[in-house]
Amino acid sequence: MKTFRSLSVILFATACAATAAIKTEVVEYREGDTVLQGFVAYDDAKAGKVPGVLVVHQWMGLTDYEKKRCEMLAELGYVAFAVDIYGKGVRPANTGEAGGLAGKYKGDRALLRRRVNAGFETLKGLPKCDTAKTAAIGYCFGGTTALELGRSGAPLSGIVSFHGGLSTPTPADAANIKGKVLALHGADDPFVPPAEVAAFEQEMRTAKCDWQFVAYGGAVHSFTQAAAGNDNSKGAAYNEKADKRSWAAMKEFFAEIFR
Amino acid sequence: MKTFRSLSVILFATACAATAAIKTEVVEYREGDTVLQGFVAYDDAKAGKVPGVLVVHQWMGLTDYEKKRCEMLAELGYVAFAVDIYGKGVRPANTGEAGGLAGKYKGDRALLRRRVNAGFETLKGLPKCDTAKTAAIGYCFGGTTALELGRSGAPLSGIVSFHGGLSTPTPADAANIKGKVLALHGADDPFVPPAEVAAFEQEMRTAKCDWQFVAYGGAVHSFTQAAAGNDNSKGAAYNEKADKRSWAAMKEFFAEIFR
């Protein structure tokens, strides 16, 4: 994996108003010749290295949503890096474009793995990051991608998928997964149907992964995203209880894997 | 529900060696004409009323295992009461007898509900119990029974099933469930197969319950019970990771429902 290791911080660090110690930076990095633009958040008041969490975006690309999650992770004491799978400036304007872009990368898993691994290398290159303690989390398309990072053999301590697609063209690659896996799923998610869940469980079982699967009753796709509204009949909607419970489950999971 | 409310404490309170403030008592109570013998544990050093947790035993009846769980719950600050479904002195000598007894009560849900409700009333009658904050947990047969208590309409804040059977002859009764439901399941449990899980999820969905389901990879039946050994091929075995994770999930759930 060739990665442009020298980070080029293109915006100076800015203190977060609500939590003065949280620093955030936009980070430019590369995968091959492609320039990518990620985002890092960490607690500047915390001494020494801390576990690193990669955050993989939804189909709309890296947005304020993922940045907010990075800040929340920084408040928990981690250094969080939101990757950019699509490339600098490549941000879908609507769901049609988002579907096209997400589809492109889901259809080319080799490219997807290179892109997410470039982000992972960037995370590990951050001065704050304890490279022996890393995890990847992702939302929707990002959940799929975080799992694919694991299947590529990345030395992660853990992977958390939030309402992610669970299918892969190469389930045998689950044998490469180094860390523990936690899949957090809306029980009524029409985009990740029971057959896909069952195939994922079988994949984890066959590979003898350390895995857990949580289904949240009454939750559909995008249950962590307030902007998704509250109409379950659309198949994607916010669910405050599932949002809070899944975040708590992730925290508990991190407490275990980063112990 | 007729219950013998005046508790007859037949053994004086004994302080637990490891945690001096934990008091335990054997409690005799009745369901109709049947004498039952339960067990209570609470932290005597904790002032005032505290949430009450009903603990329902496995098919072997009320054993030291459930008593230990009561003590662990007392250490968390709850008053825990282990019910006796089978009756005073009725303790199966082997798994054959256990299967017969568990089968009798699973086959007569009206009787099972009376028995577990008698225990619930006893819990609520304990001076230490905050009757507005109660939950039922259960292991294997006890998980089935805790859910059945919910289906009977008992005003619980929550129900937790640990590797419990999830089927019921009257799924429509889930509409009576007042509290939140957390089902903790071994993903490879041959005694609670995928079809039973799917039917349970559909039951919860139809009744619009507040429910969560967790599957622990690599875990079979009895995953919380050290005495079950470590041979998954038997279909029931201890799994330390799943034991610890499920206990942590229960704690998080209690933090939410007893807030």
Side-chain angles (χ1 to χ4, degrees):
Chain A
M1 188 69 45
K2 277 171 63 182
T3 307
F4 190 64
R5 301 276 187 127
S6 305
L7 304 180
S8 154
V9 177
I10 61 164
L11 283 186
F12 55 85
T14 52
C16 173
T19 50
I22 305 299
K23 294 247 182 183
T24 64
E25 297 163 19
V26 172
V27 174
E28 220 168 82
Y29 63 108
R30 286 171 186 271
E31 183 277 302
D33 293 333
T34 306
V35 178
L36 305 156
Q37 194 178 67
F39 178 87
V40 63
Y42 58 97
D43 184 345
D44 200 37
K46 221 170 153 74
K49 290 178 182 289
V50 297
V53 181
L54 198 74
V55 177
V56 192
H57 57 72
Q58 307 185 70
W59 68 344
M60 293 301 290
L62 175 46
T63 67
D64 286 346
Y65 175 79
E66 290 77 19
K67 293 176 183 174
K68 178 67 188 164
R69 292 293 179 185
C70 285
E71 290 171 9
M72 291 169 70
L73 288 162
E75 283 164 16
L76 296 178
Y78 306 120
V79 52
F81 180 65
V83 298
D84 171 19
I85 300 294
Y86 295 163
K88 181 181 178 182
V90 183
R91 296 291 180 268
N94 51 52
T95 55
E97 286 183 26
L101 272 165
K104 169 185 164 185
Y105 288 93
K106 287 173 80 170
D108 185 348
R109 299 285 171 131
L111 174 59
L112 180 61
R113 288 181 181 190
R114 287 200 305 276
R115 288 288 164 90
V116 68
N117 267 288
F120 182 52
E121 294 299 323
T122 303
L123 169 69
K124 289 194 294 179
L126 295 170
K128 201 77 192 153
C129 182
D130 177 353
T131 57
K133 292 183 175 178
T134 60
I137 76 171
Y139 297 87
C140 305
F141 167 77
T144 309
T145 304
L147 286 166
E148 209 60 34
L149 176 61
R151 293 185 191 103
S152 78
L156 295 156
S157 302
I159 300 166
V160 185
S161 167
F162 293 82
H163 44 83
L166 300 172
S167 70
T168 178
T170 54
D173 288 356
N176 301 325
I177 292 177
K178 303 285 193 299
K180 300 174 181 180
V181 175
L182 176 64
L184 305 169
H185 172 72
D188 295 335
D189 187 338
F191 302 112
V192 187
E196 186 167 328
V197 171
F200 171 73
E201 294 192 353
Q202 195 52 47
E203 176 193 352
M204 295 291 105
R205 192 176 279 123
T206 303
K208 300 191 193 309
C209 288
D210 179 326
W211 65 278
Q212 302 171 73
F213 174 83
V214 185
Y216 298 106
V220 292
H221 204 62
S222 302
F223 60 78
T224 64
Q225 202 177 10
N230 59 6
D231 182 358
N232 269 17
S233 74
K234 291 183 175 170
Y238 182 60
N239 183 306
E240 187 182 359
K241 281 191 288 198
D243 180 22
K244 289 182 174 171
R245 290 169 180 174
S246 59
W247 190 254
M250 179 206 72
K251 286 203 289 185
E252 185 69 37
F253 181 73
F254 283 173
E256 181 189 318
I257 66 172
F258 293 145
R259 193 159 41 200
Chain B
M1 189 69 44
K2 277 170 64 181
T3 308
F4 190 65
R5 300 277 189 127
S6 305
L7 305 180
S8 154
V9 176
I10 62 163
L11 283 185
F12 55 83
T14 51
C16 172
T19 50
I22 304 300
K23 295 246 183 184
T24 64
E25 296 164 18
V26 172
V27 174
E28 221 168 79
Y29 63 108
R30 286 172 187 271
E31 183 276 302
D33 293 332
T34 306
V35 179
L36 305 157
Q37 195 178 65
F39 177 88
V40 64
Y42 57 98
D43 184 346
D44 200 37
K46 223 170 151 73
K49 290 179 181 291
V50 296
V53 181
L54 199 74
V55 177
V56 192
H57 57 71
Q58 308 184 69
W59 68 344
M60 294 301 290
L62 175 46
T63 67
D64 286 346
Y65 175 79
E66 290 78 19
K67 293 176 183 176
K68 177 67 188 165
R69 292 293 179 185
C70 284
E71 290 172 10
M72 290 168 71
L73 288 162
E75 284 165 15
L76 295 179
Y78 305 119
V79 52
F81 180 65
V83 299
D84 171 19
I85 300 296
Y86 296 162
K88 182 181 177 182
V90 183
R91 296 291 180 267
N94 50 53
T95 54
E97 285 183 27
L101 272 165
K104 170 185 164 186
Y105 288 92
K106 287 173 80 169
D108 185 348
R109 298 285 172 133
L111 174 60
L112 180 61
R113 289 182 181 190
R114 286 200 304 277
R115 287 288 164 90
V116 69
N117 267 288
F120 183 52
E121 293 300 323
T122 302
L123 168 69
K124 288 195 292 178
L126 295 170
K128 200 78 193 153
C129 182
D130 177 352
T131 57
K133 292 183 176 179
T134 59
I137 76 169
Y139 297 87
C140 305
F141 168 75
T144 309
T145 304
L147 286 166
E148 208 60 36
L149 176 62
R151 293 186 191 101
S152 79
L156 295 155
S157 301
I159 299 166
V160 185
S161 167
F162 294 82
H163 44 82
L166 301 172
S167 70
T168 179
T170 55
D173 287 356
N176 300 326
I177 292 178
K178 305 284 193 297
K180 300 174 181 182
V181 175
L182 176 64
L184 306 170
H185 172 72
D188 295 335
D189 187 338
F191 303 113
V192 186
E196 186 168 328
V197 170
F200 171 73
E201 294 192 352
Q202 195 51 49
E203 176 194 353
M204 295 291 106
R205 192 175 278 123
T206 302
K208 299 191 194 307
C209 288
D210 180 326
W211 66 278
Q212 301 171 73
F213 174 84
V214 185
Y216 298 106
V220 292
H221 204 62
S222 302
F223 61 76
T224 64
Q225 202 178 10
N230 60 7
D231 182 359
N232 268 17
S233 74
K234 291 183 176 170
Y238 183 61
N239 184 305
E240 186 182 359
K241 280 190 289 197
D243 180 22
K244 289 182 174 171
R245 289 169 181 175
S246 59
W247 189 255
M250 179 206 73
K251 286 202 289 185
E252 185 69 36
F253 181 72
F254 283 174
E256 180 188 318
I257 66 171
F258 294 145
R259 192 160 40 203

